[in-house]
Amino acid sequence: AKLNLSIPLLQKKLFASVDAQYTSRTRTLQQTELGGFFLVNLTVFSRKVTEKIDFSGGFYNLLNKQYADTGGLEDREVLIPQDGRSFRIKLTYRPHVESK
């Protein structure tokens, strides 16, 4: 299950977004069970900081949940631990946008 909520913070230029995701328990290929997990992400983003640039920054796995996903046939691991809390910045540049 996934829930996403976005709200404008500053005159349709700056937005905040929170998303919550729940994954139920799963079985590995070796038939062991991994428990379910709940993740929360928080992102702040701005469209058109300038005519050609967008910016976003976000915290992922905000609550620092320790969890793992199942390994596939190509993996040696039965389970693959996932990242804890992390922060990412994204800058998007659109060089071919026409100036007004």
Side-chain angles (χ1 to χ4, degrees):
K2 183 173 182 177
L3 176 68
N4 189 311
L5 174 67
S6 262
I7 57 170
L9 297 176
L10 184 62
Q11 299 179 3
K12 297 183 181 180
K13 281 277 199 182
L14 185 66
F15 299 84
S17 176
V18 62
D19 77 64
Q21 304 172 27
Y22 175 74
T23 301
S24 64
R25 62 182 182 240
T26 58
R27 288 200 179 273
T28 67
L29 292 173
Q30 287 74 20
Q31 298 305 309
T32 57
E33 190 171 283
L34 292 178
F37 54 90
F38 178 74
L39 300 176
V40 176
N41 303 316
L42 176 64
T43 305
V44 175
F45 58 98
S46 179
R47 293 189 183 121
K48 295 189 176 184
V49 173
T50 69
E51 189 63 29
K52 297 182 178 187
I53 296 176
D54 296 339
F55 169 83
S56 69
F59 287 98
Y60 296 83
N61 193 359
L62 187 63
L63 304 175
N64 201 29
K65 175 68 179 170
Q66 301 299 309
Y67 70 102
D69 279 333
T70 62
L73 292 172
E74 69 280 1
D75 299 311
R76 287 189 228 179
E77 301 90 352
V78 174
L79 56 97
I80 302 171
Q82 301 298 301
D83 291 337
R85 183 181 305 120
S86 62
F87 179 75
R88 300 176 203 158
I89 294 175
K90 178 181 175 182
L91 189 63
T92 304
Y93 175 67
R94 294 176 309 280
H96 302 295
V97 173
E98 296 289 326
S99 296
K100 293 182 181 179

